Amino acid sequence: MQRKLFSLAIPALFVAAVVISCQKEKPLINEGNQVATTKDGNKYVVDTLNSRVEWKGYKVFKSENTSHFGTITFESGDVTVKDGKLESGQFVVDMNSLTSVDLQDDADQLDKLNGHLKSGDFFETEKFPTASYEITKVTPSDQGDYNTILDGNLTVKGITKPVQFKANVSVNDGVVSIATEPKDIKREEFGVRFQSPAENGVIKDEVSLQINMKALEKK
């Protein structure tokens, strides 16, 4: 039962990491895009109490019965606003905060799952305690349900790769809000390659990641 539980959850957790993983050192592998944004403008600091990354992962056959989902909290971050529009941003999440939400009514299984995900089998949070996302380009969009395209560099377990998010961005009364569309990330590209035994079902490589962030103007 424990192995089956872990096999369902791993991809999901990556999503969280996916939010954004990085050591507090230089990335081991850096394939990110060149930064085209600037720091010109007004600085806003991430409200870590009201910001989070949401993750969800599945087995090969997607269904609510073969998924786990949860959150990761922000450690720090800031954005720059120029002429009333988002100009740049960089965010860091605390990988040791990653947790499953769907298991919160089962404390024993929740502790086992969270501990396994933070272990050397998966995200190695002792070695890689944070993950990060740096915005490299901001493009207005008038197509679909999102008003902005964010290009950026995502770092997880010391590996940096370019990742693009569709997002709704607003700047109102000293508050910047960013809510991204759920984005599938290939966890294996970031060194998260764990697979459970075939009889327990094959874990999908893709994990869904969504960022919900608020930042407050620095006075």
Side-chain angles (χ1 to χ4, degrees):
M1 174 64 184
Q2 178 176 332
R3 293 178 69 185
K4 183 176 181 181
L5 174 65
F6 290 164
S7 72
L8 290 174
I10 298 325
L13 231 324
F14 162 76
V15 124
V18 123
V19 198
I20 312 179
S21 160
C22 108
Q23 301 173 264
K24 296 184 177 178
E25 303 175 357
K26 287 186 176 181
L28 304 176
I29 299 174
N30 190 343
E31 299 176 359
N33 289 330
Q34 183 175 354
V35 179
T37 58
T38 73
K39 295 293 185 179
D40 296 339
N42 297 328
K43 185 176 181 180
Y44 290 64
V45 178
V46 170
D47 179 358
T48 57
L49 295 178
N50 292 294
S51 301
R52 65 190 181 280
V53 174
E54 298 177 2
W55 56 262
K56 194 167 189 176
Y58 301 86
K59 285 188 176 180
V60 168
F61 297 102
K62 251 187 182 183
S63 78
E64 294 305 311
N65 293 326
T66 61
S67 70
H68 283 284
F69 57 91
T71 62
I72 302 174
T73 62
F74 279 75
E75 179 180 286
S76 62
D78 59 72
V79 301
T80 301
V81 172
K82 184 178 182 181
D83 298 328
K85 297 180 180 179
L86 180 67
E87 168 66 17
S88 64
Q90 185 167 10
F91 320 115
V92 177
V93 296
D94 176 8
M95 291 304 295
N96 282 298
S97 73
L98 99 80
T99 187
S100 167
V101 171
D102 60 291
L103 292 176
Q104 287 190 344
D105 291 334
D106 190 336
D108 289 341
Q109 293 301 325
L110 176 64
D111 288 344
K112 290 177 182 178
L113 172 60
N114 288 351
H116 199 195
L117 290 170
K118 295 173 187 177
S119 75
D121 287 343
F122 303 108
F123 296 107
E124 298 183 82
T125 60
E126 184 174 349
K127 183 178 181 181
F128 302 98
T130 62
S132 66
Y133 185 72
E134 180 178 16
I135 297 172
T136 58
K137 184 179 179 182
V138 181
T139 307
S141 175
D142 58 3
Q143 298 181 356
D145 296 328
Y146 295 88
N147 62 20
T148 306
I149 302 297
L150 299 177
D151 287 281
N153 293 329
L154 173 66
T155 303
V156 178
K157 292 187 69 175
I159 299 173
T160 298
K161 291 183 176 290
V163 174
Q164 184 182 85
F165 289 95
K166 295 179 181 179
N168 276 319
V169 178
S170 66
V171 181
N172 292 303
D173 298 325
V175 179
V176 175
S177 298
I178 299 176
T180 70
E181 179 183 43
K183 173 79 173 184
D184 282 349
I185 306 288
K186 292 184 179 294
R187 61 187 176 89
E188 292 189 3
E189 292 183 354
F190 293 87
V192 183
R193 299 185 174 90
F194 174 84
Q195 274 293 355
S196 60
E199 61 268 23
N200 291 339
V202 178
I203 299 170
K204 288 182 68 67
D205 184 22
E206 296 80 11
V207 291
S208 174
L209 175 66
Q210 187 169 19
I211 300 171
N212 287 287
M213 187 223 74
K214 291 187 181 298
L216 307 178
E217 188 170 11
K218 188 175 181 179
K219 304 297 186 182

